[in-house]
Amino acid sequence: MSAGSLGPRLTLSSFPWSEAHPAVAQRLAARGIRYARTLPAQDDPLSPIGKSWRTSFNTDTRQGAEAAMAAAGTTWRWHGNGDLYTETKQMPALVVDGRSGKEMFYNAVIAAITGWEDGRNDPLKAIRYGDGEELDGEAVAALLETGEWMAAHRVAFAWQSGDVLIIDNQAAMHSRETFTPPR
């Protein structure tokens, strides 16, 4: 990164969910989430989420990818073109930070619903409730609003040669600016 360039964008993970969207927060806390995504057979530099299943699972074989997915509790379905549809196991959507007592996201739900978009993936279908049911319209709207809040409250740092930045990865979420492909 060149001197003076902006590094990752950071925002706090502690959007006041229970106050802003109590019904959605309750459903997310009770049901958790799953991520649904199609990974390409080969890396796709034109996609913001274009890591192939080979790169994602560090293997060249379907058997290696299947072993990694089985170990992680991920379900999958192979497409005829070699792409791979995955759905993660149920995960918590919200957690309470033990130090601050604040409720926060402890996952990539906002990144997924606002940015996992390419020819294989629709970000509005990237998140499901933990029981596998699609998110309802109220939940989608609440997550998109949260993404807007996070974008409006993020900060970036102008890097200089020799700079070091230490971040509490539990309290902050990171992102990057959009890009013009290829990345």
Side-chain angles (χ1 to χ4, degrees):
M1 198 173 289
S2 62
S5 66
L6 294 178
R9 279 42 175 184
L10 304 171
T11 190
L12 294 177
S13 300
S14 57
F15 178 81
W17 259 91
S18 294
E19 298 162 25
H21 302 286
V24 174
Q26 184 179 22
R27 287 195 301 276
L28 288 172
R31 296 169 73 181
I33 59 164
R34 294 176 186 263
Y35 296 99
R37 178 174 168 194
T38 298
L39 291 86
Q42 302 296 327
D43 288 340
D44 179 358
L46 300 178
S47 169
I49 55 167
K51 283 177 33 175
S52 70
W53 58 263
R54 289 174 170 88
T55 299
S56 296
F57 297 112
N58 195 30
T59 184
D60 286 324
T61 68
R62 286 184 176 201
Q63 295 80 9
E66 290 173 0
M69 289 183 290
T74 298
T75 58
W76 66 89
R77 180 178 67 248
W78 292 100
H79 292 281
N81 66 356
D83 288 353
L84 173 64
Y85 173 83
T86 63
E87 196 169 299
T88 65
K89 66 181 179 183
Q90 181 179 7
M91 300 179 200
L94 303 168
V95 297
V96 175
D97 180 25
R99 296 165 297 169
S100 69
K102 291 182 178 180
E103 184 177 63
M104 63 179 59
F105 289 108
Y106 194 64
N107 52 54
V109 69
I110 299 302
I113 203 161
T114 62
W116 285 8
E117 184 172 9
D118 61 16
R120 293 168 294 276
N121 295 281
D122 175 353
L124 299 180
K125 297 182 186 240
I127 306 295
R128 306 176 77 76
Y129 285 115
D131 58 15
E133 183 180 321
E134 287 190 23
L135 294 180
D136 53 80
E138 182 184 18
V140 169
L143 291 170
L144 291 173
E145 178 187 314
T146 302
E148 291 170 7
W149 181 89
M150 289 179 161
H153 290 84
R154 66 186 176 182
V155 296
F157 300 88
W159 294 100
Q160 300 297 319
S161 181
D163 281 354
V164 175
L165 178 65
I166 299 174
I167 300 164
D168 181 344
N169 204 34
Q170 290 186 345
M173 297 179 88
H174 64 278
S175 67
R176 60 174 166 71
E177 289 297 301
T178 57
F179 67 96
T180 302
R183 59 182 171 146

